[in-house]
Amino acid sequence: MWNYSEKVKDHFFNPRNARVVDNANAVGDVGSLSCGDALRLMLRVDPQSETILEAGFQTFGCGSAIASSSALTELIIGRTLAQAEQVTNQQIADYLDGLPPQKMHCSVMGQEALRAAIAHYRGETLIDEHEEGALICKCFGVDEGQIRRAVLSNGLTTLEEVINYTKAGGGCTACHEKIELALADILAKHPQAAAVVTAEKDPHWQEVVDAITELRPHIQADGGDMSLLSVNNHTVTVSLSGSCSGCMMTDMTLAWLQQKLMERTGCYMDVVAA
């Protein structure tokens, strides 16, 4: 049984704005019925002020999907499009007093629908990221772009988190390796963006930073380098470059860092290289 908050239950049993909006001039569709979750977000936007006057939705999915859609409309009515663009999936979840980790993808679906609706209003065509090799999860139609946005917006660092936030890999599991490769690539290319979110939620962040700062001069002396990507739930992910990339001594370096971290934090820490 999922541990739902009272607000989630309220927005599921008494959804706000679950209706078709007449004269909607911004519509965003995400998901699909075949995948188990689908959301159509409809907005009536004032052309002069670009203020969202009305918002409605039609959702096919679980209670969390309906509650997240309801919460989204409450968050954006009365806001300008520029303000609505700043609404994150975490704010949707927070508005509902939290969602179970396995249901966070429902809040992400709401954010994606809002993104699509605003693009529709502006006459923009969202880039089709289903290029060859970019479609990661065939079961739920999740592409690399969706995973990238979820990772960078929420500081995701593990396969389990990506599944919870996007549903990718939650079906047949055949794409798990693709997800892990995509995740490693995203964290390696965007270490600062991912680190900022992670720093805010992990109590051991500064201790890890201090340990790596102590270790780096020794690594750099041998022509290598190490960058911190994330700290989450006792798992530290680092990026190795230079002579450290593919070095036979990599395991020893990670083991040294792991030992130092356990001495500093007083708890078990797992160190992995992306």
Side-chain angles (χ1 to χ4, degrees):
M1 293 292 292
W2 308 123
N3 184 22
Y4 292 116
S5 71
E6 291 302 315
K7 287 191 74 172
V8 170
K9 296 174 185 176
D10 180 34
H11 278 265
F12 169 56
F13 290 112
N14 305 287
R16 283 63 155 172
N17 309 300
R19 59 185 177 83
V20 173
V21 174
D22 294 330
N23 301 317
N25 52 1
V27 178
D29 290 303
V30 295
S32 69
L33 297 179
S34 62
C35 295
D37 287 306
L39 165 60
R40 165 166 285 192
L41 178 67
M42 295 155 282
L43 311 177
R44 184 167 68 86
V45 181
D46 180 0
Q48 299 301 318
S49 63
E50 290 201 335
T51 298
I52 299 173
L53 303 177
E54 292 184 71
F57 72 91
Q58 293 177 309
T59 295
F60 175 84
C62 63
S64 293
I66 293 171
S68 294
S69 302
S70 174
L72 172 62
T73 59
E74 292 286 273
L75 283 168
I76 62 177
I77 291 176
R79 294 194 182 193
T80 64
L81 293 182
Q83 293 170 332
E85 279 184 306
Q86 304 306 311
V87 173
T88 66
N89 70 280
Q90 189 59 54
Q91 288 175 314
I92 296 172
D94 290 343
Y95 185 88
L96 293 169
D97 292 336
L99 287 169
Q102 297 85 352
K103 294 294 182 180
M104 282 300 293
H105 63 86
C106 297
S107 66
V108 173
M109 185 170 68
Q111 185 181 16
E112 291 285 326
L114 177 60
R115 175 173 174 263
I118 293 175
H120 174 251
Y121 175 82
R122 293 174 174 166
E124 300 171 351
T125 301
L126 293 179
I127 298 174
D128 184 2
E129 295 175 284
H130 289 341
E131 298 174 359
E132 184 176 356
L135 182 62
I136 301 295
C137 177
K138 295 181 180 179
C139 292
F140 296 108
V142 180
D143 59 42
E144 191 173 350
Q146 291 170 272
I147 292 176
R148 183 185 308 110
R149 289 190 293 275
V151 167
L152 298 182
S153 296
N154 299 281
L156 311 184
T157 59
T158 67
L159 170 65
E160 181 181 8
E161 289 177 328
V162 173
I163 294 173
N164 290 342
Y165 279 73
T166 67
K167 289 189 74 175
C172 69
T173 74
C175 61
H176 282 193
E177 183 177 357
K178 288 184 179 180
I179 295 173
E180 290 179 324
L181 290 173
L183 178 60
D185 182 62
I186 292 165
L187 293 176
K189 290 180 178 178
H190 304 274
Q192 293 180 336
V196 169
V197 180
T198 307
E200 294 175 352
K201 71 178 183 179
D202 196 286
H204 298 303
W205 175 264
Q206 191 57 51
E207 293 166 307
V208 175
V209 170
D210 292 342
I212 291 180
T213 299
E214 178 183 337
L215 175 61
R216 284 187 71 200
H218 302 285
I219 298 176
Q220 291 172 334
D222 292 327
D225 204 354
M226 174 186 289
S227 300
L228 176 60
L229 297 181
S230 64
V231 184
N232 189 23
N233 195 25
H234 300 290
T235 297
V236 177
T237 305
V238 298
S239 174
L240 298 173
S241 58
S243 62
C244 287
S245 181
C247 174
M248 295 177 62
M249 303 296 288
T250 295
D251 289 342
M252 293 183 61
T253 300
L254 297 179
W256 183 93
L257 177 59
Q258 183 178 37
Q259 181 61 37
K260 289 295 182 181
L261 290 177
M262 289 192 291
E263 292 174 0
R264 287 174 180 265
T265 64
C267 60
Y268 177 77
M269 302 291 286
D270 186 25
V271 180
V272 297

